[in-house]
Amino acid sequence: MALKFELIKVLGKARRGRIYLPHGIVETPTFMPVGTNANVKLMTPKELEEVGAQIILGNAFHLYLKPGMEVLKFHGGINNFIGWHKPVLTDSGGFQVFSLREGRKVTDEGVLIKSPLDGSKHMITPELSMEIQNAINSDIVMAFDYCAEPGIEYDKAVRALELTTKWAERSLKRIRELSDQAIFGIVQGAFFHDLRERSAREITSMEFDGFAIGGLSVGEEYDITLKMTEFTVPFLPENKPRYFMGAGSPKLIVDLVYNGVDIFDSVLPTRVARHGQALTWIGKLNIRAAKFKFDKSPIEETCTCYTCKNFSRSYIRHLFDRREVLGQILLTIHNLHFMMDLSKKIRDSIEEGTFEKLRGEVLKHYD
Amino acid sequence: MALKFELIKVLGKARRGRIYLPHGIVETPTFMPVGTNANVKLMTPKELEEVGAQIILGNAFHLYLKPGMEVLKFHGGINNFIGWHKPVLTDSGGFQVFSLREGRKVTDEGVLIKSPLDGSKHMITPELSMEIQNAINSDIVMAFDYCAEPGIEYDKAVRALELTTKWAERSLKRIRELSDQAIFGIVQGAFFHDLRERSAREITSMEFDGFAIGGLSVGEEYDITLKMTEFTVPFLPENKPRYFMGAGSPKLIVDLVYNGVDIFDSVLPTRVARHGQALTWIGKLNIRAAKFKFDKSPIEETCTCYTCKNFSRSYIRHLFDRREVLGQILLTIHNLHFMMDLSKKIRDSIEEGTFEKLRGEVLKHYD
């Protein structure tokens, strides 16, 4: 088995766990920084390690387009290629079925997707997705799924669910032919309780190493995201890791952990950093604000990241003012450090039985 | 005295020296990375230290526009502001007299320059330049000069030279009223031997702590750059550091050192890095080339920089292919490391008496 999951403590529904993977141990709950194009934007692997990242996310479809499977195989997988020697999870391309809808064609066989790079068309099947993720040699492979758009009609949601189940079976079969990489199944079912339940039952009936909740946080209202998660989690087995795909706001993260989710990812913390937004324990901070021109304090006094230990708000504001990319780099370091610090504080608070208090503090500042 | 210069060894005309400054010691010959807008593009101060930078260059005119003197004074100078605690040399704004010619107006008093940021006009006088550089609190201040364009007529070159001398006097007077910061005078005189000699005699007659050769490497042919330097250096005193403004190519650098120059700066190594060009001991390398797609070797096998120790040509090529800024960051680290390594090898070779051999090797690959 390429994955072992240990439950260290359960507090209400919240779980403190540990995942053993070929490239290392992942303490959960944890946030995963996103590295779509074989890098977490603006971050060297050294900086990623320094902010405390334990596992990063790659994307099968994007890596298939560039650098391509041959290059990935040539390097023996993504770790050597990108110089990151800790665990990697890869998304299957299922999210691109959702995000690259223009010119898309879904059949039983798979999905014809248009490349955002050059408009060329690519038929992605569950089998191909597994072959790509095998070339990537990720620690955790995701089954190829059909992530439906919010507002989807019931009939179409049924079709997406049924394809997701069939594709999950084919994914599992193909990856087992190729390797013993750990693989997670993905629960879909859009925003319909009966479909969520059906999908969860079908997906969890298969021999996956962990389960993901997909198709949420795709534009729907916050309450719906949360209610669908709350409804879905009880159908997932206790003894396997649970991954909510696409959660990056501190509020959503503490609410997900409260509901029993172990891992989550999002481009949000790095994307907002590039636009001048810092995440802090007392809420968001727009570093471009004029009031910071003469502010010698760091983004956050209590923060121990490289940025906060060495630079003032005044300086980072100046870098953004002059459109110097170093400003984006420094905020990315800070925001990722914040996410990893939040993850660690969540883990500690579950162990110490104080998670509810921590959640209350986060919700106070991110509501 | 805010500057002490020690000549450790002279080999032919080449000099191995040491400059003692308020923020540290600078071993010469050395290259200075350029940080125009209060940062060396894409580099954290930690990365700058790791590549071996001893002193960086700032720019009075750009820093005057943003963040402005008030902010610089508020931080007690540029070092605290940017988190770089080693020496800084600031250019006076004289180069902007050259580079921002559009809408420029030169009078005895100073130069009216149009801001490249918002088109606003600013009257820069020698006195203002000193006040800015005093607010910056740089280790080495440059006198305010008139850097003339190549092809300038004799009459105009005389006028530029005369202004440079008058402004040098006023610069020296004003900086001494403000502080004991070290200040370098700048020799101008365009491409006329008699004017170079006259400028050198006039400038070196004043109590400067070091001397710069300005107005070269501004677009003229290589042989002219070199011949004008060869002609000018003998007019500079032995016991003070010599700075050639704007030299970043390995070829020019070894030729300058050969002629007795101690320090040099240029945006070239960082700028070409952002365009995919790596500097190596066997010449330039364009990392975007298709042949590197399956090349596992680092940019340069013998290089000990972070980039070469951790990443392949194949990966860096991929980052450029996907326009990921991390590629530019990794090449910037490499190119600056190369420049600092070149500087160190030059110093060692002067001490060991093997500089001519080293120069020959560099000229072989950069001709």
Side-chain angles (χ1 to χ4, degrees):
Chain A
M1 278 286 286
L3 179 150
K4 197 187 132 204
F5 180 58
E6 210 174 273
L7 256 187
I8 295 167
K9 181 164 179 189
V10 178
L11 180 72
K13 291 188 278 183
R15 297 136 57 93
R16 166 75 180 91
R18 187 171 290 147
I19 308 175
Y20 296 83
L21 294 166
H23 290 93
I25 291 170
V26 174
E27 305 287 347
T28 65
T30 196
F31 173 78
M32 294 188 288
V34 176
T36 306
N37 293 320
N39 77 120
V40 174
K41 282 191 192 298
L42 304 180
M43 290 293 96
T44 64
K46 188 158 74 171
E47 285 164 338
L48 276 180
E49 281 210 39
E50 283 169 5
V51 298
Q54 307 180 76
I55 176 169
I56 61 171
L57 182 139
N59 188 291
F61 181 65
H62 288 287
L63 294 171
Y64 165 74
L65 295 178
K66 298 260 179 180
M69 288 169 71
E70 277 183 65
V71 171
L72 290 162
K73 280 180 188 164
F74 174 72
H75 287 273
I78 195 165
N79 293 85
N80 286 339
F81 183 52
I82 71 175
W84 165 259
H85 303 290
K86 294 191 170 185
V88 172
L89 176 151
T90 39
D91 193 6
S92 59
F95 186 71
Q96 280 64 48
V97 178
F98 162 76
S99 63
L100 303 172
R101 270 168 282 182
E102 200 206 312
R104 175 192 76 174
K105 211 169 180 173
V106 182
T107 62
D108 281 11
E109 179 59 13
V111 186
L112 199 68
I113 310 183
K114 222 168 105 178
S115 161
L117 300 181
D118 61 4
S120 58
K121 297 215 168 172
H122 300 267
M123 181 68 184
I124 310 292
T125 61
E127 289 77 16
L128 177 57
S129 174
M130 294 308 111
E131 285 149 22
I132 301 167
Q133 293 181 78
N134 180 242
I136 294 169
N137 193 28
S138 42
D139 294 77
I140 300 176
V141 164
M142 296 305 296
F144 188 61
D145 63 326
Y146 184 150
C147 175
E149 49 274 22
I152 191 174
E153 292 150 39
Y154 188 84
D155 288 1
K156 286 185 180 164
V158 171
R159 159 92 170 142
L161 175 163
E162 288 174 347
L163 279 180
T164 294
T165 297
K166 279 181 199 156
W167 291 353
E169 283 165 4
R170 285 164 57 190
S171 294
L172 197 52
K173 180 166 175 286
R174 186 70 186 122
I175 200 71
R176 284 292 158 262
E177 289 164 4
L178 293 168
S179 81
D180 66 348
Q181 285 167 279
I183 179 169
F184 283 17
I186 304 174
V187 175
Q188 291 289 348
F191 304 97
F192 304 102
H193 286 83
D194 59 329
L195 300 188
R196 279 279 155 190
E197 179 176 345
R198 183 181 155 195
S199 182
R201 289 191 189 281
E202 291 177 1
I203 298 296
T204 58
S205 74
M206 296 178 232
E207 287 294 309
F208 284 113
D209 303 297
F211 296 94
I213 300 171
L216 295 180
S217 201
V218 289
E220 76 281 6
E221 276 177 27
Y222 188 80
D223 281 354
I224 298 177
T225 316
L226 207 57
K227 276 180 191 153
M228 294 311 301
T229 306
E230 214 178 325
F231 177 80
T232 307
V233 170
F235 296 104
L236 307 180
E238 278 273 339
N239 63 344
K240 290 188 174 172
R242 300 161 180 170
Y243 163 30
F244 182 103
M245 307 181 83
S249 89
K251 176 181 163 69
L252 179 55
I253 283 172
V254 293
D255 279 343
L256 292 175
V257 169
Y258 177 80
N259 279 290
V261 173
D262 306 307
I263 51 179
F264 18 84
D265 74 286
S266 172
V267 295
L268 190 105
T270 43
R271 180 175 290 165
V272 301
R274 296 197 298 279
H275 291 95
Q277 198 177 77
L279 304 172
T280 81
W281 285 96
I282 51 164
K284 292 172 200 161
L285 177 152
N286 178 3
I287 201 66
R288 295 161 174 268
K291 65 178 170 184
F292 296 135
K293 191 167 177 183
F294 292 96
D295 190 338
K296 266 185 205 168
S297 52
I299 292 168
E300 185 148 49
E301 284 292 352
T302 53
C303 180
T304 60
C305 81
Y306 173 67
T307 302
C308 286
K309 283 199 293 188
N310 292 280
F311 307 97
S312 63
R313 293 170 175 182
S314 168
Y315 180 55
I316 302 169
R317 180 193 167 277
H318 162 75
L319 293 173
F320 271 89
D321 192 28
R322 290 300 289 113
R323 292 179 198 172
E324 290 286 341
V325 179
L326 182 59
Q328 302 184 330
I329 294 171
L330 296 180
L331 274 201
T332 301
I333 289 173
H334 172 81
N335 281 3
L336 284 179
H337 182 275
F338 176 84
M339 296 305 291
M340 301 322 300
D341 191 34
L342 173 64
S343 302
K344 187 176 185 310
K345 284 198 167 62
I346 288 173
R347 292 195 297 272
D348 290 349
S349 73
I350 296 173
E351 290 195 21
E352 293 159 9
T354 55
F355 173 64
E356 253 315 282
K357 186 166 164 276
L358 176 69
R359 180 174 167 237
E361 273 168 38
V362 171
L363 293 182
K364 197 170 78 188
H365 296 293
Y366 283 93
D367 222 2
Chain B
M1 275 289 285
L3 180 150
K4 198 187 131 201
F5 179 60
E6 212 173 272
L7 256 187
I8 296 168
K9 182 166 178 188
V10 177
L11 180 72
K13 290 188 277 183
R15 299 137 55 95
R16 166 74 179 93
R18 187 170 289 147
I19 308 175
Y20 297 83
L21 294 167
H23 289 94
I25 291 169
V26 174
E27 305 287 345
T28 64
T30 196
F31 174 77
M32 293 188 289
V34 176
T36 306
N37 292 318
N39 76 121
V40 175
K41 281 190 193 300
L42 304 179
M43 290 295 95
T44 63
K46 189 159 70 173
E47 285 163 338
L48 276 180
E49 280 210 40
E50 283 169 6
V51 299
Q54 308 180 75
I55 176 170
I56 62 173
L57 181 138
N59 188 290
F61 180 65
H62 288 287
L63 293 171
Y64 164 74
L65 295 178
K66 299 260 181 184
M69 288 169 71
E70 276 182 65
V71 170
L72 291 162
K73 280 181 190 166
F74 174 72
H75 287 274
I78 195 165
N79 294 83
N80 286 338
F81 183 53
I82 71 174
W84 166 259
H85 303 290
K86 293 189 170 186
V88 172
L89 175 151
T90 38
D91 192 7
S92 59
F95 186 69
Q96 279 64 47
V97 178
F98 162 76
S99 63
L100 304 172
R101 269 169 281 183
E102 199 206 313
R104 176 192 74 173
K105 211 168 179 173
V106 182
T107 62
D108 281 12
E109 180 57 14
V111 186
L112 198 67
I113 310 182
K114 222 167 105 177
S115 161
L117 300 181
D118 61 5
S120 59
K121 298 216 167 170
H122 300 267
M123 181 67 186
I124 311 292
T125 61
E127 289 76 17
L128 177 58
S129 174
M130 295 306 111
E131 284 149 23
I132 301 167
Q133 293 181 79
N134 180 240
I136 294 168
N137 193 27
S138 41
D139 295 75
I140 300 175
V141 164
M142 298 303 296
F144 189 62
D145 63 326
Y146 185 150
C147 175
E149 49 275 19
I152 191 173
E153 293 150 36
Y154 189 85
D155 286 0
K156 285 185 181 166
V158 171
R159 158 92 171 141
L161 175 163
E162 288 175 348
L163 278 180
T164 294
T165 297
K166 278 182 200 158
W167 292 352
E169 283 165 4
R170 284 164 57 190
S171 294
L172 196 54
K173 179 166 176 286
R174 184 70 186 122
I175 201 70
R176 284 289 159 264
E177 289 165 2
L178 292 167
S179 80
D180 66 348
Q181 286 166 277
I183 180 169
F184 282 17
I186 304 174
V187 175
Q188 292 288 349
F191 304 97
F192 304 101
H193 286 83
D194 59 330
L195 299 189
R196 281 275 156 194
E197 178 176 346
R198 181 180 156 196
S199 183
R201 291 191 189 281
E202 290 178 0
I203 297 296
T204 57
S205 74
M206 296 178 233
E207 286 295 310
F208 285 111
D209 303 295
F211 295 94
I213 300 171
L216 295 180
S217 201
V218 290
E220 75 280 6
E221 276 177 30
Y222 188 82
D223 281 354
I224 297 177
T225 315
L226 207 58
K227 276 180 189 153
M228 293 312 301
T229 306
E230 216 178 321
F231 177 80
T232 306
V233 170
F235 296 103
L236 307 181
E238 278 273 340
N239 63 344
K240 290 189 175 172
R242 300 162 180 170
Y243 163 30
F244 183 101
M245 306 181 85
S249 89
K251 176 182 164 68
L252 179 54
I253 284 173
V254 292
D255 279 341
L256 291 176
V257 169
Y258 178 81
N259 278 289
V261 172
D262 306 306
I263 50 180
F264 19 83
D265 74 287
S266 173
V267 295
L268 190 105
T270 44
R271 180 175 289 165
V272 301
R274 295 196 301 279
H275 291 96
Q277 197 177 79
L279 304 172
T280 81
W281 284 96
I282 52 166
K284 291 173 200 163
L285 178 152
N286 177 5
I287 200 67
R288 295 162 175 269
K291 65 179 172 185
F292 296 136
K293 193 169 178 181
F294 292 95
D295 190 338
K296 267 185 205 165
S297 52
I299 293 169
E300 183 146 52
E301 285 292 353
T302 53
C303 180
T304 60
C305 80
Y306 173 67
T307 302
C308 287
K309 283 199 294 189
N310 291 280
F311 308 96
S312 63
R313 294 170 174 181
S314 169
Y315 180 55
I316 302 169
R317 180 194 166 274
H318 162 75
L319 293 173
F320 271 89
D321 192 29
R322 289 300 288 113
R323 292 181 199 169
E324 291 286 342
V325 179
L326 182 58
Q328 302 184 330
I329 294 171
L330 296 180
L331 274 202
T332 301
I333 289 174
H334 172 81
N335 281 3
L336 285 180
H337 182 275
F338 176 84
M339 296 306 290
M340 301 322 300
D341 190 34
L342 173 63
S343 302
K344 187 177 185 313
K345 283 198 167 62
I346 289 173
R347 292 194 296 271
D348 290 349
S349 73
I350 296 173
E351 289 195 21
E352 294 157 11
T354 56
F355 172 66
E356 253 315 282
K357 186 166 164 277
L358 175 70
R359 178 172 168 239
E361 274 168 36
V362 170
L363 293 182
K364 196 169 78 188
H365 296 293
Y366 283 94
D367 220 3

